[in-house]
Amino acid sequence: NSAGDACECVAGYFGSGGVCTACGAGTYKGSAGNALGCTSCPAGATTLFQAALSADNCTAPANAELDETGQSYVCVAGFSGSGSSGTCSACALNTFKSGAGDAVGCTPCPAGGITVSTGSTASSDCTCRANSELNSAGDACECVAGYYGSGAVCTACELGTFKQGRGDAAGCTSCPTGASTVGAATTSYSGCVCPANSQLNDVGDACEC
């Protein structure tokens, strides 16, 4: 010590009377002096060696960061679990987690929405499948005009049928009797045409010469 009249433990070691023990994993001691123990790393952190000298020697659990208090670790965005327990796992496909914090699981994408990878961090990472788009409420993907189905598995309306507007449907609307469409995925009644030398009758439900 400074007085030179007794031995004391150096940094990284605790004890007294010259009997000093290295700070164990997950702890540190930054200065010389006798002590009953060493300072613990923030909850969830550890050290890669004994006799660590400072908090800088503490390593965070995988995919975790310090919380606002600086006393414990929480899972980073895109990962759920417990940071202090070292159990942060990437959000599964079709889910996301937008901020740091511990959580039992991640937020599902809107119904029918998908992500291209695990560990997604925002709702914008969720996209609708082909030929579908988010409804006005933003909570589900629906088939676009010209396509039918549900759960965002959408199939093109067949020749002779059409579907107006976005929305799930069991099928498409048939054209008037005798009329057809020039292609699949027709989006309106006006896409139905009668064969050559015929036209819709006055009721509009069939083609006639």
Side-chain angles (χ1 to χ4, degrees), residues 26-190:
T27 66
Y28 63 92
K29 179 168 166 280
S31 60
N34 294 331
L36 296 176
C38 302
T39 303
S40 296
C41 291
T46 189
T47 55
L48 300 179
F49 50 87
Q50 294 185 335
L53 302 179
S54 74
D56 293 338
N57 298 136
C58 299
T59 58
N63 306 309
E65 64 183 39
L66 280 173
D67 63 10
E68 294 179 354
T69 69
Q71 300 300 309
S72 186
Y73 282 90
V74 294
C75 297
V76 298
F79 288 76
S80 65
S82 170
S84 60
S85 298
T87 58
C88 298
S89 300
C91 292
L93 286 172
N94 310 333
T95 69
F96 67 94
K97 179 169 162 281
S98 57
D102 290 344
V104 174
C106 301
T107 303
C109 288
I114 59 174
T115 59
V116 298
S117 64
T118 60
S120 294
T121 61
S123 60
S124 58
D125 293 331
C126 299
T127 59
C128 291
R129 293 178 173 89
N131 307 311
S132 67
E133 62 186 16
L134 278 176
N135 61 14
S136 56
D139 59 2
C141 297
E142 295 180 332
C143 298
V144 298
Y147 289 79
Y148 71 95
S150 63
V153 179
C154 303
T155 303
C157 292
E158 299 175 351
L159 289 173
T161 67
F162 66 94
K163 177 174 162 282
Q164 297 184 159
R166 181 187 63 219
D168 290 343
C172 301
T173 303
S174 296
C175 288
T177 302
S180 189
T181 56
V182 297
T186 298
T187 60
S188 69
Y189 172 85
S190 62

